[in-house]
Amino acid sequence: MTSTVAMTKVLIFGGKTGWIGGLMADLIKEKEGVELFLADSRVENREDVAKELDEIKPSHVLMSAGITGRPNIDWCETHKPDTIRTNVIGTLNVADLCDTRNIHCTVYATGCIFKYDEAHKLGSGVGFDEDSAPNFAESFYSETKGYMEQLLKCYSNCLILRVRMPISDDLIHRNFVTKIVKYERVVNIPNSMTVLTEMLPGSLAMAEKGLAGVYNFTNPGVISHNQVLDLYTKYIDPTYTYKNFSVEEQAKVIVAGRSNNELDTTKLMADMPEGIVINDIQTACDLCFQRMKVNLTKLGWLPDNMPAEFVRS
């Protein structure tokens, strides 16, 4: 569904302290004629959200507030009510209140609601599409996200973007690269992933176009953990080494299961507004690490001053 409204005021939930929300704020600051507002209200407080929407009267809302847990989603297993308040009640509050005010709402959701199965086998190239029903609930985080998508689809003003294993051009703690670089051992499974530098401008263009419904929001194709770490070794730290272990071995050291899947990006690429360049994930990651090398050099981390947390002893 498409319902075009001029983008004049954008209100971001999760824009003050959130990773993706902050990156979206930076993009909007570059757009002429668009006012940017970062929400003060907490999404679980419905009355506060309603008041803020009525005071600002945004043309578009970006909903990136959410709980993923720190250091990872295992946190959600022991903080279920907190997870529900933000990821379920809060997200529904924003989507529902936007719907009653006819405001376009973009929700940065997750594609970690699937796992490879008989119809979508590992290595087959057959990905889950936007109509696929969630089949992964081995973490409370993913379970709640699966529920949420089914409900959000009911709102005709809502654009739901399935982000997966997001990668950025730095080593911020939320970056998928940062997480796996610090692990002693990693599984080696091809996955769909989202390179934010390429994809986030696309989300803004999709919102501006008034697109709604579910979209697999990843670069086309898959890339494995090993391939990502090999690029890290190539561009960032040639001395870095890593070891693999099996999914069964991984299960012994984590609390919640981890989603591995490939998402079909046919719909996304067909509907993506003109002027947005989305590379396949292999190319996108290579370019991302090239930019990361430049950024870390400017920071003074490269060539030989990486923080201790990134150095193998």
Side-chain angles (χ1 to χ4, degrees):
M1 177 181 173
T2 304
S3 179
T4 305
V5 174
M7 183 175 283
T8 55
K9 291 183 180 182
V10 177
L11 174 62
I12 303 179
F13 289 91
K16 287 192 171 182
T17 59
W19 179 34
I20 288 179
L23 293 173
M24 291 308 301
D26 291 340
L27 287 176
I28 292 165
K29 289 174 185 175
E30 298 175 0
K31 287 184 68 68
E32 292 186 12
V34 180
E35 291 185 83
L36 170 65
F37 298 86
L38 306 181
D40 290 314
S41 56
R42 296 188 64 83
V43 293
E44 60 266 36
N45 299 330
R46 186 179 176 91
E47 291 184 0
D48 293 346
V49 172
K51 181 181 178 183
E52 195 158 23
L53 287 172
D54 290 338
E55 288 177 349
I56 295 172
K57 293 181 169 56
S59 61
H60 294 75
V61 163
L62 306 181
M63 170 55 183
S64 61
I67 288 178
T68 56
R70 290 195 183 184
N72 53 51
I73 61 169
D74 286 346
W75 180 93
C76 298
E77 301 298 315
T78 53
H79 297 78
K80 291 183 178 181
D82 298 294
T83 304
I84 290 169
R85 285 186 199 105
T86 301
N87 291 359
V88 179
I89 297 171
T91 304
L92 277 178
N93 279 341
V94 174
D96 186 60
L97 290 167
C98 285
D99 181 71
T100 60
R101 290 158 175 76
N102 198 30
I103 300 169
H104 187 277
C105 178
T106 300
V107 176
Y108 294 89
T110 183
C112 292
I113 54 177
F114 301 103
K115 63 179 178 180
Y116 288 114
D117 60 16
E118 283 301 308
H120 310 83
K121 291 183 178 181
L122 174 65
S124 69
V126 178
F128 293 90
D129 64 23
E130 285 76 4
D131 295 323
S132 299
N135 70 347
F136 179 80
E138 294 165 28
S139 74
F140 189 69
Y141 170 83
S142 291
E143 184 179 358
T144 59
K145 290 291 187 175
Y147 299 152
M148 280 307 307
E149 182 177 287
Q150 304 309 305
L151 297 173
L152 291 172
K153 286 162 63 175
C154 299
Y155 293 104
S156 61
N157 66 311
C158 196
L159 172 63
I160 305 136
L161 302 177
R162 292 174 175 167
V163 177
R164 287 208 80 238
M165 299 178 170
I167 296 173
S168 57
D169 304 349
D170 50 26
L171 287 174
I172 191 171
H173 65 279
R174 294 208 177 274
N175 184 355
F176 173 74
V177 175
T178 306
K179 293 178 180 180
I180 65 171
V181 161
K182 293 181 180 181
Y183 294 156
E184 288 299 320
R185 296 179 295 170
V186 296
V187 294
N188 184 35
I189 302 175
N191 271 279
S192 287
M193 301 186 192
T194 305
V195 176
L196 296 178
T197 306
E198 292 194 3
M199 301 297 293
L200 290 185
S203 72
L204 196 57
M206 293 169 77
E208 199 164 11
K209 188 177 177 180
L211 296 179
V214 177
Y215 283 86
N216 288 332
F217 199 64
T218 61
N219 293 79
V222 292
I223 190 168
S224 70
H225 295 61
N226 283 15
Q227 288 173 312
V228 171
L229 291 176
D230 287 345
L231 288 171
Y232 180 85
T233 303
K234 176 181 178 181
Y235 288 109
I236 308 303
D237 183 2
T239 69
Y240 179 82
T241 60
Y242 61 88
K243 296 177 182 178
N244 289 130
F245 63 163
S246 67
V247 173
E248 292 74 23
E249 290 172 318
Q250 181 194 46
K252 296 176 182 178
V253 297
I254 57 178
V255 177
R258 299 296 193 264
S259 162
N260 294 290
N261 68 60
E262 178 174 354
L263 300 181
D264 187 310
T265 56
T266 303
K267 177 184 176 184
L268 175 76
M269 298 305 287
D271 292 354
M272 184 61 66
E274 292 184 10
I276 302 297
V277 177
I278 305 293
N279 288 297
D280 68 89
I281 190 61
Q282 299 279 343
T283 302
C285 278
D286 194 288
L287 292 171
C288 182
F289 275 101
Q290 291 181 45
R291 294 189 298 268
M292 186 186 293
K293 182 176 182 178
V294 172
N295 293 336
L296 296 183
T297 300
K298 289 179 180 177
L299 272 178
W301 289 15
L302 293 180
D304 54 8
N305 194 35
M306 291 290 285
E309 61 189 301
F310 293 103
V311 178
R312 291 282 196 227
S313 56

